Amino acid sequence: MYNELYIYSIRKDTWTKVDIPGPPPRRCAHQAVVVPQGGGQLWVFGGEFASPDGEQFYHYKDLWVLHLATKTWEQIRSTGGPSGRSGHRMVAWKRQLILFGGFHESTRDYIYYSDVYTFSLDTFLWSKLSPSGPGPTPRSGCLMAVTPQGSIAIYGGYSKQRVKKDVDKGTQHSDMFLLKPEEAGEGKWTWTRINPSGVKPTPRSGFSVAMAPNHQILFFGGVCDEEEEESLEGSFFNDLYVYDAARSRWFTAQLKGPKSDKKKRRRGKVEEQEGATEQENGATGAPEPLEVIKEVVAEDGTVITIKQVLAPSGLVPQAPPKPEDSAVEASSAGQEPCPRSNAMLAVKHGLLYVYGGMFEAGDRQVTLSDLYCLDLHKMEEWRTLVEMDPKSQEWLEETDSEEDSSSDEEGAEGGDKDQEEDSSEDSAEEGADPQHPEVAPGEQYEEYLSRTEQYWLKLARNHMGPDAKEKKVLKVAQAMAKAFMDDAVQDIAQAKH
């Protein structure tokens, strides 16, 4: 788990880690919303934490704001807000934050939510809404976006329910609702179920959402899980859909291809247009999709095969106005992001950015750090800004004992990397003279502890035994790290003299 903050410079094409004192604790599955108030603010609510061994797992209900002008974190303490949860969704609406859904899970049980809360950016007060009309069933991970008409769209999401003892059934929702403010009455809202026309996304979860320059809603990727009682297998996507709220219609966003190809196709322009019209009408004469096989070789020699099905060129969603000049210079072009779930999406200067996410290959989970952009005005091709580096992937193998301990806490899967680091530390400790993690030149104690905390926790547990309380283990681990760092700093100072 991380609580690091990074900023990507579009003009410089560089990532920068920004260290700001007093950040929110480490977490995942939270929500973050940017608003223009106070020179720019990033608001963060909730999420979850899981320790590498699965012994600690909990959901947050804290609210934080990052003041972008002063680069300072501040925790906002306001009562009456949502309960601890993750997988919820939050948007900025006028001078409010509006939060919907999510889930809470413990070792014994879980619950999914369909409640709605607002947080005033003027009074810093939470309010729970009670909208009229039939609303969505409880769910997490849905689409939530503000429409140009001032309503809030909710689409899809995921929930699960217990069908018998120790057996849960997951549901990937594909229904859609609008949450509308009532004209008469401050703070009164109404749910309305809608059934948009067009080409709807296939059922899935883990998709990503962003707003296009013309206020259309972009929908990217995700995963459709095929669940059996003893197994779970997911089909991952890298397709892009557009929801046009003004027309209440879904589109598949299809690329035109690079300009060099257009000249070759100019002679067949009439046939292409006819084919595109047939395709939108669902005729059988539509061109076949193209299947592309990409192989990624990991450092250990394992070959992971990624199969992509590329939609044929056809109609593109309604074209927005001409783009502003952009300073992005892509490192390469023509490659699409591989299928993935839980990617990050953002739109700036008419460009859609896709960062990271994850996919599964057999029993292995791959976490991505690649970055792509797509010009939403031209809709020609994806550009690769940061390529996926197979050598940076760490393949995590679990022993039977690790599987048993992690199965006690379903939410602890975020600690796989730390578990591997622990296993490597075990092998180091078997030797006569274990090497502690070195202190980097100029590194502060907080930075060193953040980077090596799992090593010292493991060491402290070995010294204190399995029955030691987690809080005491943490204190001992921090004390050991501090003592070692002080010695290391002293050694460096002596060496200089």
Side-chain angles (χ1 to χ4, degrees), residues 37 41 106 197 212 225 229 300 323 374 412:
Q37 278 85 347
Q41 298 170 340
S106 65
S197 59
D225 289 329
E229 286 197 11
D300 62 359
L374 173 67

Side-chain angles (χ1 to χ4, degrees), residues 112-343:
Y112 282 78
Y113 299 104
S114 59
D115 46 7
V116 185
Y117 286 83
T118 68
F119 179 80
S120 169
L121 296 172
D122 295 320
T123 64
F124 281 21
L125 294 176
W126 283 107
S127 300
K128 185 175 182 180
L129 298 184
S130 300
S132 58
T137 55
R139 63 193 63 194
S140 71
C142 59
L143 175 156
M144 185 180 189
V146 179
T147 70
Q149 297 78 25
S151 300
I152 295 171
I154 300 286
Y155 171 79
Y158 175 86
S159 65
K160 64 180 179 180
Q161 59 184 16
R162 192 144 288 151
V163 292
K164 57 183 180 180
K165 189 179 179 182
D166 299 328
V167 177
D168 300 312
K169 182 178 184 343
T171 301
Q172 294 175 101
H173 302 278
S174 57
D175 46 2
M176 193 163 189
F177 298 82
L178 285 180
L179 180 61
K180 298 180 180 179
E182 293 182 10
E183 292 180 9
E186 185 71 22
K188 291 188 176 180
W189 296 72
T190 303
W191 281 116
T192 305
R193 181 165 181 169
I194 59 174
N195 186 25
S197 59
V199 184
K200 302 179 180 108
T202 55
R204 66 189 71 187
S205 57
F207 48 79
S208 310
V209 178
M211 294 297 295
N214 53 0
H215 303 292
Q216 293 179 332
I217 298 168
L218 302 173
F219 174 109
F220 173 80
V223 58
C224 180
D225 289 329
E226 300 293 333
E227 296 187 47
E228 301 291 339
E229 286 197 11
E230 299 296 328
S231 67
L232 177 68
E233 190 171 334
S235 298
F236 289 79
F237 303 96
N238 65 343
D239 44 5
L240 183 64
Y241 286 84
V242 178
Y243 176 66
D244 187 332
R247 294 193 277 171
S248 190
R249 184 177 180 84
W250 282 101
F251 295 91
T252 52
Q254 296 173 351
L255 306 188
K256 299 174 184 176
K259 287 183 179 177
S260 57
D261 289 351
K262 289 181 190 172
K263 293 178 182 176
K264 298 174 187 175
R265 294 203 303 257
R266 191 164 289 167
R267 240 180 295 169
K269 191 173 182 182
V270 176
E271 290 86 349
E272 265 195 10
Q273 287 175 340
E274 288 173 358
T277 306
E278 286 178 2
Q279 188 177 347
E280 192 191 37
N281 294 334
T284 55
E288 290 292 317
L290 177 66
E291 187 172 280
V292 176
I293 306 293
K294 185 191 293 185
E295 290 188 343
V296 177
V297 182
E299 197 171 15
D300 62 359
T302 305
V303 178
I304 301 297
T305 303
I306 305 167
K307 184 167 73 174
Q308 297 175 242
V309 179
L310 307 182
S313 295
L315 287 182
V316 190
Q318 185 180 357
K322 203 169 181 181
E324 303 167 27
D325 290 334
S326 171
V328 171
E329 288 295 331
S331 58
S332 60
Q335 298 179 10
E336 290 197 337
C338 69
R340 64 191 65 200
S341 68
N342 299 303

